[in-house]
Amino acid sequence: MNMMFNLVVVVQVISALSIIALVLLQHGKGADMGAAFGSGASGSLFGATGSSNFMSKSTGVAAAIFFGATLALSLMANQRATTVGGGVMDKVVKPVPVTGAGAIPTTVSAAAPAASAPAAAAPVASTPAGAIPK
């Protein structure tokens, strides 16, 4: 699949470069229209143009190849299986919460402070709140 993708990319680049070269090499019709106003050939200004030459036909073929390669690349890009990783956080395992009787601790550890010890009193402010400098 990767080799086919690379081949289609190469075909698309070559067709794009050929379109650029063929368009730049063609003789524009704008110069003929400007010259037609003063030379009395104004009937052919907006009339039917002649049959297309080799350059315009090959430009159309290159454009069709470019269009086909673009469609092929879009289809190939849609079929590629890509996985989007979230990084390090994808590997984190969330612990399952314990419910029921197992969630209530039954023993008190020695590191926990005793419940009968008196709590320390909060310090009392000696100045009123309005006297605090700002």
Side-chain angles (χ1 to χ4, degrees), residues 92-98:
V92 174
V93 178
K94 183 178 178 183
V96 179
V98 180

Side-chain angles (χ1 to χ4, degrees), residues 48-70:
T49 59
S51 63
S52 59
N53 57 6
F54 172 74
M55 297 285 273
S56 61
K57 287 181 183 179
S58 56
T59 304
V61 169
I65 291 172
F66 181 81
F67 184 71
T70 304

Side-chain angles (χ1 to χ4, degrees), residues 8-110:
V8 175
V9 168
V10 168
V11 167
Q12 186 178 28
V13 169
I14 290 173
S15 66
L17 291 175
S18 65
I19 289 172
I20 291 170
L22 288 169
V23 166
L24 289 176
L25 288 174
Q26 287 183 24
H27 179 68
K29 295 179 184 175
D32 293 340
M33 285 186 207
F37 281 116
S39 65
S42 60
S44 67
L45 178 62
F46 298 109
T49 59
S51 63
S52 59
N53 57 6
F54 172 74
M55 297 285 273
S56 61
K57 287 181 183 179
S58 56
T59 304
V61 169
I65 291 172
F66 181 81
F67 184 71
T70 304
L71 285 177
L73 284 175
S74 66
L75 289 174
M76 285 184 205
N78 255 352
Q79 292 176 355
R80 282 191 173 184
T82 58
T83 57
V84 178
V88 179
M89 294 305 291
D90 281 345
K91 297 178 177 86
V92 174
V93 178
K94 183 178 178 183
V96 179
V98 180
T99 58
I104 302 171
T106 56
T107 60
V108 178
S109 66

